[in-house]
mmCIF file of all heavy atoms in Angstrom:
data_model
loop_
_atom_site.group_PDB
_atom_site.id
_atom_site.type_symbol
_atom_site.label_atom_id
_atom_site.label_comp_id
_atom_site.label_asym_id
_atom_site.label_seq_id
_atom_site.Cartn_x
_atom_site.Cartn_y
_atom_site.Cartn_z
ATOM 1 N N ILE A 1 -10.552 -129.831 29.728
ATOM 2 C CA ILE A 1 -10.690 -128.702 28.814
ATOM 3 C C ILE A 1 -9.351 -128.450 28.126
ATOM 4 O O ILE A 1 -8.325 -128.248 28.786
ATOM 5 C CB ILE A 1 -11.150 -127.436 29.553
ATOM 6 C CG1 ILE A 1 -12.487 -127.694 30.255
ATOM 7 C CG2 ILE A 1 -11.286 -126.262 28.579
ATOM 8 C CD1 ILE A 1 -12.968 -126.543 31.123
ATOM 9 N N VAL A 2 -9.370 -128.475 26.799
ATOM 10 C CA VAL A 2 -8.164 -128.320 25.985
ATOM 11 C C VAL A 2 -8.288 -127.057 25.139
ATOM 12 O O VAL A 2 -9.353 -126.769 24.590
ATOM 13 C CB VAL A 2 -7.984 -129.551 25.064
ATOM 14 C CG1 VAL A 2 -6.742 -129.399 24.208
ATOM 15 C CG2 VAL A 2 -7.904 -130.823 25.900
ATOM 16 N N SER A 3 -7.215 -126.311 25.023
ATOM 17 C CA SER A 3 -7.258 -125.049 24.272
ATOM 18 C C SER A 3 -7.008 -125.273 22.783
ATOM 19 O O SER A 3 -6.093 -124.699 22.189
ATOM 20 C CB SER A 3 -6.242 -124.049 24.831
ATOM 21 O OG SER A 3 -4.939 -124.601 24.771
ATOM 22 N N LYS A 4 -7.820 -126.157 22.197
ATOM 23 C CA LYS A 4 -7.805 -126.396 20.755
ATOM 24 C C LYS A 4 -9.247 -126.522 20.289
ATOM 25 O O LYS A 4 -10.100 -127.024 21.034
ATOM 26 C CB LYS A 4 -7.029 -127.674 20.409
ATOM 27 C CG LYS A 4 -5.529 -127.562 20.618
ATOM 28 C CD LYS A 4 -4.822 -128.820 20.146
ATOM 29 C CE LYS A 4 -3.315 -128.699 20.337
ATOM 30 N NZ LYS A 4 -2.604 -129.908 19.862
ATOM 31 N N PRO A 5 -9.543 -126.080 19.056
ATOM 32 C CA PRO A 5 -10.918 -126.159 18.577
ATOM 33 C C PRO A 5 -11.338 -127.589 18.276
ATOM 34 O O PRO A 5 -10.507 -128.475 18.074
ATOM 35 C CB PRO A 5 -10.891 -125.318 17.294
ATOM 36 C CG PRO A 5 -9.471 -125.392 16.830
ATOM 37 C CD PRO A 5 -8.642 -125.443 18.081
ATOM 38 N N LEU A 6 -12.642 -127.799 18.223
ATOM 39 C CA LEU A 6 -13.182 -129.143 18.008
ATOM 40 C C LEU A 6 -12.760 -129.717 16.661
ATOM 41 O O LEU A 6 -12.581 -130.933 16.540
ATOM 42 C CB LEU A 6 -14.715 -129.104 18.109
ATOM 43 C CG LEU A 6 -15.445 -130.448 18.054
ATOM 44 C CD1 LEU A 6 -14.961 -131.379 19.149
ATOM 45 C CD2 LEU A 6 -16.949 -130.236 18.165
ATOM 46 N N LYS A 7 -12.589 -128.883 15.657
ATOM 47 C CA LYS A 7 -12.218 -129.388 14.333
ATOM 48 C C LYS A 7 -10.890 -130.125 14.366
ATOM 49 O O LYS A 7 -10.646 -131.021 13.557
ATOM 50 C CB LYS A 7 -12.180 -128.262 13.313
ATOM 51 C CG LYS A 7 -11.099 -127.224 13.541
ATOM 52 C CD LYS A 7 -11.123 -126.149 12.461
ATOM 53 C CE LYS A 7 -10.011 -125.126 12.659
ATOM 54 N NZ LYS A 7 -10.036 -124.070 11.619
ATOM 55 N N ASN A 8 -10.022 -129.765 15.302
ATOM 56 C CA ASN A 8 -8.740 -130.450 15.428
ATOM 57 C C ASN A 8 -8.948 -131.911 15.814
ATOM 58 O O ASN A 8 -8.203 -132.794 15.371
ATOM 59 C CB ASN A 8 -7.873 -129.753 16.479
ATOM 60 C CG ASN A 8 -6.474 -130.333 16.562
ATOM 61 O OD1 ASN A 8 -5.624 -130.014 15.759
ATOM 62 N ND2 ASN A 8 -6.253 -131.201 17.536
ATOM 63 N N TYR A 9 -9.953 -132.178 16.666
ATOM 64 C CA TYR A 9 -10.207 -133.532 17.125
ATOM 65 C C TYR A 9 -11.164 -134.276 16.203
ATOM 66 O O TYR A 9 -11.141 -135.508 16.146
ATOM 67 C CB TYR A 9 -10.718 -133.494 18.566
ATOM 68 C CG TYR A 9 -9.661 -132.962 19.496
ATOM 69 C CD1 TYR A 9 -9.705 -131.651 19.962
ATOM 70 C CD2 TYR A 9 -8.563 -133.742 19.857
ATOM 71 C CE1 TYR A 9 -8.702 -131.150 20.778
ATOM 72 C CE2 TYR A 9 -7.562 -133.260 20.655
ATOM 73 C CZ TYR A 9 -7.633 -131.959 21.123
ATOM 74 O OH TYR A 9 -6.627 -131.464 21.912
ATOM 75 N N GLU A 10 -11.995 -133.550 15.471
ATOM 76 C CA GLU A 10 -12.866 -134.193 14.488
ATOM 77 C C GLU A 10 -12.042 -134.911 13.428
ATOM 78 O O GLU A 10 -12.454 -135.947 12.895
ATOM 79 C CB GLU A 10 -13.767 -133.145 13.834
ATOM 80 C CG GLU A 10 -14.752 -133.730 12.828
ATOM 81 C CD GLU A 10 -15.562 -132.655 12.118
ATOM 82 O OE1 GLU A 10 -15.199 -131.470 12.225
ATOM 83 O OE2 GLU A 10 -16.546 -133.013 11.447
ATOM 84 N N SER A 11 -10.858 -134.370 13.126
ATOM 85 C CA SER A 11 -10.014 -134.972 12.092
ATOM 86 C C SER A 11 -9.333 -136.253 12.540
ATOM 87 O O SER A 11 -8.813 -137.003 11.720
ATOM 88 C CB SER A 11 -8.953 -133.960 11.632
ATOM 89 O OG SER A 11 -8.028 -133.689 12.664
ATOM 90 N N ILE A 12 -9.325 -136.534 13.849
ATOM 91 C CA ILE A 12 -8.680 -137.759 14.326
ATOM 92 C C ILE A 12 -9.667 -138.722 14.989
ATOM 93 O O ILE A 12 -9.438 -139.933 14.980
ATOM 94 C CB ILE A 12 -7.513 -137.447 15.291
ATOM 95 C CG1 ILE A 12 -7.966 -136.588 16.465
ATOM 96 C CG2 ILE A 12 -6.396 -136.760 14.556
ATOM 97 C CD1 ILE A 12 -6.864 -136.322 17.473
ATOM 98 N N LEU A 13 -10.751 -138.213 15.564
ATOM 99 C CA LEU A 13 -11.801 -139.075 16.132
ATOM 100 C C LEU A 13 -12.906 -139.180 15.088
ATOM 101 O O LEU A 13 -13.843 -138.386 15.060
ATOM 102 C CB LEU A 13 -12.320 -138.479 17.441
ATOM 103 C CG LEU A 13 -11.274 -138.304 18.551
ATOM 104 C CD1 LEU A 13 -11.869 -137.590 19.752
ATOM 105 C CD2 LEU A 13 -10.679 -139.654 18.964
ATOM 106 N N GLN A 14 -12.783 -140.160 14.225
ATOM 107 C CA GLN A 14 -13.585 -140.219 13.005
ATOM 108 C C GLN A 14 -14.620 -141.345 13.041
ATOM 109 O O GLN A 14 -14.542 -142.256 13.861
ATOM 110 C CB GLN A 14 -12.659 -140.417 11.799
ATOM 111 C CG GLN A 14 -11.675 -139.279 11.593
ATOM 112 C CD GLN A 14 -10.776 -139.523 10.405
ATOM 113 O OE1 GLN A 14 -10.629 -140.636 9.906
ATOM 114 N NE2 GLN A 14 -10.158 -138.463 9.916
ATOM 115 N N PRO A 15 -15.606 -141.284 12.111
ATOM 116 C CA PRO A 15 -16.544 -142.401 11.942
ATOM 117 C C PRO A 15 -15.781 -143.681 11.577
ATOM 118 O O PRO A 15 -14.696 -143.596 10.997
ATOM 119 C CB PRO A 15 -17.434 -141.943 10.785
ATOM 120 C CG PRO A 15 -17.330 -140.455 10.791
ATOM 121 C CD PRO A 15 -15.901 -140.169 11.217
ATOM 122 N N PRO A 16 -16.321 -144.843 11.941
ATOM 123 C CA PRO A 16 -17.654 -145.057 12.524
ATOM 124 C C PRO A 16 -17.711 -144.904 14.038
ATOM 125 O O PRO A 16 -18.788 -144.980 14.612
ATOM 126 C CB PRO A 16 -17.955 -146.495 12.115
ATOM 127 C CG PRO A 16 -16.621 -147.162 12.120
ATOM 128 C CD PRO A 16 -15.653 -146.120 11.598
ATOM 129 N N ASP A 17 -16.570 -144.718 14.705
ATOM 130 C CA ASP A 17 -16.579 -144.664 16.166
ATOM 131 C C ASP A 17 -17.089 -143.327 16.703
ATOM 132 O O ASP A 17 -17.764 -143.277 17.726
ATOM 133 C CB ASP A 17 -15.183 -144.948 16.713
ATOM 134 C CG ASP A 17 -14.688 -146.327 16.333
ATOM 135 O OD1 ASP A 17 -15.471 -147.278 16.476
ATOM 136 O OD2 ASP A 17 -13.542 -146.449 15.883
ATOM 137 N N PHE A 18 -16.724 -142.238 16.011
ATOM 138 C CA PHE A 18 -17.146 -140.906 16.436
ATOM 139 C C PHE A 18 -17.858 -140.206 15.284
ATOM 140 O O PHE A 18 -17.625 -140.518 14.116
ATOM 141 C CB PHE A 18 -15.947 -140.068 16.882
ATOM 142 C CG PHE A 18 -15.394 -140.472 18.227
ATOM 143 C CD1 PHE A 18 -14.565 -141.573 18.350
ATOM 144 C CD2 PHE A 18 -15.715 -139.749 19.369
ATOM 145 C CE1 PHE A 18 -14.061 -141.951 19.588
ATOM 146 C CE2 PHE A 18 -15.225 -140.125 20.605
ATOM 147 C CZ PHE A 18 -14.402 -141.225 20.715
ATOM 148 N N PHE A 19 -18.710 -139.240 15.656
ATOM 149 C CA PHE A 19 -19.446 -138.501 14.626
ATOM 150 C C PHE A 19 -19.764 -137.108 15.152
ATOM 151 O O PHE A 19 -20.206 -136.954 16.296
ATOM 152 C CB PHE A 19 -20.748 -139.220 14.264
ATOM 153 C CG PHE A 19 -21.435 -138.644 13.057
ATOM 154 C CD1 PHE A 19 -21.000 -138.951 11.775
ATOM 155 C CD2 PHE A 19 -22.518 -137.796 13.206
ATOM 156 C CE1 PHE A 19 -21.631 -138.409 10.664
ATOM 157 C CE2 PHE A 19 -23.158 -137.254 12.101
ATOM 158 C CZ PHE A 19 -22.712 -137.569 10.824
ATOM 159 N N ARG A 20 -19.531 -136.114 14.312
ATOM 160 C CA ARG A 20 -19.865 -134.735 14.698
ATOM 161 C C ARG A 20 -21.319 -134.486 14.324
ATOM 162 O O ARG A 20 -21.643 -134.220 13.167
ATOM 163 C CB ARG A 20 -18.941 -133.730 14.032
ATOM 164 C CG ARG A 20 -19.128 -132.313 14.599
ATOM 165 C CD ARG A 20 -17.992 -131.398 14.226
ATOM 166 N NE ARG A 20 -18.129 -130.093 14.842
ATOM 167 C CZ ARG A 20 -17.222 -129.124 14.755
ATOM 168 N NH1 ARG A 20 -16.101 -129.326 14.078
ATOM 169 N NH2 ARG A 20 -17.426 -127.949 15.339
ATOM 170 N N VAL A 21 -22.185 -134.550 15.307
ATOM 171 C CA VAL A 21 -23.626 -134.456 15.060
ATOM 172 C C VAL A 21 -24.121 -133.018 15.029
ATOM 173 O O VAL A 21 -25.258 -132.741 14.630
ATOM 174 C CB VAL A 21 -24.425 -135.228 16.132
ATOM 175 C CG1 VAL A 21 -24.131 -136.712 16.054
ATOM 176 C CG2 VAL A 21 -24.119 -134.687 17.537
ATOM 177 N N HIS A 22 -23.268 -132.107 15.456
ATOM 178 C CA HIS A 22 -23.686 -130.711 15.586
ATOM 179 C C HIS A 22 -22.424 -129.857 15.561
ATOM 180 O O HIS A 22 -21.329 -130.354 15.830
ATOM 181 C CB HIS A 22 -24.441 -130.534 16.921
ATOM 182 C CG HIS A 22 -25.082 -129.211 17.128
ATOM 183 N ND1 HIS A 22 -24.383 -128.103 17.544
ATOM 184 C CD2 HIS A 22 -26.381 -128.819 16.995
ATOM 185 C CE1 HIS A 22 -25.218 -127.087 17.660
ATOM 186 N NE2 HIS A 22 -26.436 -127.490 17.318
ATOM 187 N N GLN A 23 -22.578 -128.590 15.246
ATOM 188 C CA GLN A 23 -21.421 -127.687 15.232
ATOM 189 C C GLN A 23 -20.687 -127.693 16.569
ATOM 190 O O GLN A 23 -19.469 -127.523 16.626
ATOM 191 C CB GLN A 23 -21.876 -126.268 14.902
ATOM 192 C CG GLN A 23 -20.720 -125.266 14.788
ATOM 193 C CD GLN A 23 -21.208 -123.886 14.389
ATOM 194 O OE1 GLN A 23 -22.379 -123.697 14.074
ATOM 195 N NE2 GLN A 23 -20.312 -122.916 14.396
ATOM 196 N N SER A 24 -21.435 -127.931 17.634
ATOM 197 C CA SER A 24 -20.844 -127.861 18.980
ATOM 198 C C SER A 24 -20.482 -129.206 19.589
ATOM 199 O O SER A 24 -19.861 -129.246 20.655
ATOM 200 C CB SER A 24 -21.817 -127.146 19.935
ATOM 201 O OG SER A 24 -22.087 -125.842 19.494
ATOM 202 N N TYR A 25 -20.869 -130.321 18.953
ATOM 203 C CA TYR A 25 -20.705 -131.628 19.591
ATOM 204 C C TYR A 25 -20.108 -132.688 18.665
ATOM 205 O O TYR A 25 -20.514 -132.828 17.505
ATOM 206 C CB TYR A 25 -22.060 -132.149 20.092
ATOM 207 C CG TYR A 25 -22.709 -131.283 21.133
ATOM 208 C CD1 TYR A 25 -23.712 -130.387 20.773
ATOM 209 C CD2 TYR A 25 -22.322 -131.352 22.460
ATOM 210 C CE1 TYR A 25 -24.317 -129.578 21.728
ATOM 211 C CE2 TYR A 25 -22.927 -130.554 23.427
ATOM 212 C CZ TYR A 25 -23.915 -129.664 23.049
ATOM 213 O OH TYR A 25 -24.507 -128.870 23.992
ATOM 214 N N LEU A 26 -19.158 -133.446 19.235
ATOM 215 C CA LEU A 26 -18.606 -134.638 18.607
ATOM 216 C C LEU A 26 -18.853 -135.779 19.582
ATOM 217 O O LEU A 26 -18.430 -135.708 20.746
ATOM 218 C CB LEU A 26 -17.108 -134.462 18.358
ATOM 219 C CG LEU A 26 -16.332 -135.658 17.807
ATOM 220 C CD1 LEU A 26 -16.748 -135.946 16.372
ATOM 221 C CD2 LEU A 26 -14.822 -135.382 17.872
ATOM 222 N N ILE A 27 -19.558 -136.823 19.140
ATOM 223 C CA ILE A 27 -19.965 -137.870 20.089
ATOM 224 C C ILE A 27 -19.290 -139.205 19.787
ATOM 225 O O ILE A 27 -18.896 -139.485 18.652
ATOM 226 C CB ILE A 27 -21.490 -138.065 20.093
ATOM 227 C CG1 ILE A 27 -21.973 -138.652 18.758
ATOM 228 C CG2 ILE A 27 -22.203 -136.753 20.403
ATOM 229 C CD1 ILE A 27 -23.425 -139.109 18.775
ATOM 230 N N ASN A 28 -19.180 -140.026 20.842
ATOM 231 C CA ASN A 28 -18.723 -141.405 20.717
ATOM 232 C C ASN A 28 -19.950 -142.266 20.440
ATOM 233 O O ASN A 28 -20.838 -142.397 21.291
ATOM 234 C CB ASN A 28 -18.042 -141.855 22.012
ATOM 235 C CG ASN A 28 -17.457 -143.246 21.920
ATOM 236 O OD1 ASN A 28 -17.859 -144.056 21.069
ATOM 237 N ND2 ASN A 28 -16.511 -143.550 22.785
ATOM 238 N N ASN A 29 -20.035 -142.836 19.252
ATOM 239 C CA ASN A 29 -21.214 -143.604 18.861
ATOM 240 C C ASN A 29 -21.452 -144.833 19.734
ATOM 241 O O ASN A 29 -22.576 -145.336 19.807
ATOM 242 C CB ASN A 29 -21.105 -144.025 17.391
ATOM 243 C CG ASN A 29 -21.122 -142.835 16.463
ATOM 244 O OD1 ASN A 29 -21.751 -141.818 16.753
ATOM 245 N ND2 ASN A 29 -20.423 -142.941 15.336
ATOM 246 N N HIS A 30 -20.404 -145.315 20.397
ATOM 247 C CA HIS A 30 -20.547 -146.482 21.265
ATOM 248 C C HIS A 30 -21.152 -146.107 22.627
ATOM 249 O O HIS A 30 -21.444 -146.992 23.432
ATOM 250 C CB HIS A 30 -19.199 -147.156 21.476
ATOM 251 C CG HIS A 30 -18.547 -147.596 20.202
ATOM 252 N ND1 HIS A 30 -19.059 -148.610 19.414
ATOM 253 C CD2 HIS A 30 -17.432 -147.150 19.560
ATOM 254 C CE1 HIS A 30 -18.283 -148.771 18.357
ATOM 255 N NE2 HIS A 30 -17.295 -147.894 18.416
ATOM 256 N N CYS A 31 -21.294 -144.800 22.865
ATOM 257 C CA CYS A 31 -21.836 -144.330 24.150
ATOM 258 C C CYS A 31 -23.261 -143.798 24.014
ATOM 259 O O CYS A 31 -23.775 -143.153 24.927
ATOM 260 C CB CYS A 31 -20.937 -143.241 24.738
ATOM 261 S SG CYS A 31 -19.276 -143.813 25.158
ATOM 262 N N ILE A 32 -23.903 -144.072 22.881
ATOM 263 C CA ILE A 32 -25.296 -143.658 22.676
ATOM 264 C C ILE A 32 -26.222 -144.677 23.338
ATOM 265 O O ILE A 32 -26.068 -145.883 23.152
ATOM 266 C CB ILE A 32 -25.623 -143.572 21.170
ATOM 267 C CG1 ILE A 32 -24.781 -142.479 20.502
ATOM 268 C CG2 ILE A 32 -27.106 -143.300 20.947
ATOM 269 C CD1 ILE A 32 -24.918 -142.455 18.982
ATOM 270 N N THR A 33 -27.195 -144.192 24.108
ATOM 271 C CA THR A 33 -28.189 -145.100 24.695
ATOM 272 C C THR A 33 -29.493 -145.063 23.890
ATOM 273 O O THR A 33 -30.212 -146.059 23.827
ATOM 274 C CB THR A 33 -28.474 -144.742 26.162
ATOM 275 O OG1 THR A 33 -28.891 -143.377 26.250
ATOM 276 C CG2 THR A 33 -27.229 -144.940 27.005
ATOM 277 N N SER A 34 -29.804 -143.919 23.263
ATOM 278 C CA SER A 34 -30.993 -143.833 22.416
ATOM 279 C C SER A 34 -30.925 -142.575 21.562
ATOM 280 O O SER A 34 -30.180 -141.642 21.880
ATOM 281 C CB SER A 34 -32.275 -143.803 23.255
ATOM 282 O OG SER A 34 -32.347 -142.621 24.026
ATOM 283 N N TYR A 35 -31.696 -142.576 20.473
ATOM 284 C CA TYR A 35 -31.823 -141.364 19.655
ATOM 285 C C TYR A 35 -33.203 -141.372 19.021
ATOM 286 O O TYR A 35 -33.818 -142.428 18.818
ATOM 287 C CB TYR A 35 -30.722 -141.285 18.591
ATOM 288 C CG TYR A 35 -30.693 -142.415 17.594
ATOM 289 C CD1 TYR A 35 -31.376 -142.338 16.389
ATOM 290 C CD2 TYR A 35 -29.950 -143.576 17.855
ATOM 291 C CE1 TYR A 35 -31.339 -143.376 15.467
ATOM 292 C CE2 TYR A 35 -29.907 -144.611 16.950
ATOM 293 C CZ TYR A 35 -30.597 -144.506 15.750
ATOM 294 O OH TYR A 35 -30.559 -145.539 14.848
ATOM 295 N N SER A 36 -33.695 -140.179 18.714
ATOM 296 C CA SER A 36 -35.048 -140.040 18.189
ATOM 297 C C SER A 36 -35.033 -139.484 16.774
ATOM 298 O O SER A 36 -34.068 -138.848 16.353
ATOM 299 C CB SER A 36 -35.871 -139.095 19.086
ATOM 300 O OG SER A 36 -35.400 -137.768 18.957
ATOM 301 N N ARG A 37 -36.105 -139.727 16.052
ATOM 302 C CA ARG A 37 -36.251 -139.187 14.703
ATOM 303 C C ARG A 37 -36.353 -137.669 14.714
ATOM 304 O O ARG A 37 -36.116 -137.012 13.711
ATOM 305 C CB ARG A 37 -37.496 -139.784 14.031
ATOM 306 C CG ARG A 37 -37.326 -141.234 13.621
ATOM 307 C CD ARG A 37 -36.330 -141.361 12.499
ATOM 308 N NE ARG A 37 -36.012 -142.745 12.194
ATOM 309 C CZ ARG A 37 -35.100 -143.112 11.299
ATOM 310 N NH1 ARG A 37 -34.423 -142.202 10.638
ATOM 311 N NH2 ARG A 37 -34.841 -144.389 11.079
ATOM 312 N N GLU A 38 -36.703 -137.137 15.879
ATOM 313 C CA GLU A 38 -36.791 -135.679 15.993
ATOM 314 C C GLU A 38 -35.413 -135.029 16.066
ATOM 315 O O GLU A 38 -35.280 -133.816 15.943
ATOM 316 C CB GLU A 38 -37.605 -135.296 17.231
ATOM 317 C CG GLU A 38 -39.099 -135.563 17.116
ATOM 318 C CD GLU A 38 -39.415 -137.054 17.124
ATOM 319 O OE1 GLU A 38 -38.706 -137.803 17.843
ATOM 320 O OE2 GLU A 38 -40.329 -137.466 16.397
ATOM 321 N N GLY A 39 -34.402 -135.860 16.292
ATOM 322 C CA GLY A 39 -33.044 -135.329 16.273
ATOM 323 C C GLY A 39 -32.425 -135.082 17.631
ATOM 324 O O GLY A 39 -31.632 -134.143 17.796
ATOM 325 N N MET A 40 -32.720 -135.939 18.617
ATOM 326 C CA MET A 40 -32.105 -135.825 19.941
ATOM 327 C C MET A 40 -31.433 -137.148 20.289
ATOM 328 O O MET A 40 -31.974 -138.222 20.044
ATOM 329 C CB MET A 40 -33.156 -135.487 21.000
ATOM 330 C CG MET A 40 -33.863 -134.152 20.770
ATOM 331 S SD MET A 40 -32.747 -132.723 20.698
ATOM 332 C CE MET A 40 -32.137 -132.689 22.382
ATOM 333 N N ILE A 41 -30.239 -137.049 20.849
ATOM 334 C CA ILE A 41 -29.455 -138.224 21.216
ATOM 335 C C ILE A 41 -29.240 -138.228 22.727
ATOM 336 O O ILE A 41 -28.853 -137.198 23.300
ATOM 337 C CB ILE A 41 -28.078 -138.226 20.520
ATOM 338 C CG1 ILE A 41 -28.238 -138.159 19.001
ATOM 339 C CG2 ILE A 41 -27.265 -139.447 20.924
ATOM 340 C CD1 ILE A 41 -26.942 -137.903 18.275
ATOM 341 N N GLU A 42 -29.465 -139.367 23.357
ATOM 342 C CA GLU A 42 -29.150 -139.489 24.779
ATOM 343 C C GLU A 42 -27.875 -140.307 24.922
ATOM 344 O O GLU A 42 -27.755 -141.412 24.382
ATOM 345 C CB GLU A 42 -30.286 -140.166 25.546
ATOM 346 C CG GLU A 42 -29.997 -140.219 27.052
ATOM 347 C CD GLU A 42 -31.153 -140.765 27.865
ATOM 348 O OE1 GLU A 42 -32.312 -140.619 27.422
ATOM 349 O OE2 GLU A 42 -30.884 -141.336 28.942
#
């Protein structure tokens, strides 16, 4: 847990490796196992 907002890390962990899929989440695209058209990522 780091005392900095997510936007600070969104600016350095960028596509194509990372993607901010939601206001609350920034994900590593290489760690996705599945995703649905309904909009859920595992």
Side-chain angles (χ1 to χ4, degrees):
I1 302 175
V2 180
S3 58
K4 290 185 179 181
L6 186 57
K7 66 179 182 181
N8 186 80
Y9 295 102
E10 182 184 13
S11 67
I12 56 177
L13 300 175
Q14 298 179 342
D17 299 314
F18 286 79
F19 190 79
R20 189 165 184 175
V21 295
H22 187 280
Q23 183 177 353
S24 300
Y25 298 99
L26 175 69
I27 67 169
N28 184 339
N29 295 329
H30 302 293
C31 296
I32 296 173
T33 56
S34 66
Y35 61 92
S36 70
R37 287 292 173 184
E38 288 70 35
M40 298 302 294
I41 303 169
E42 183 175 332

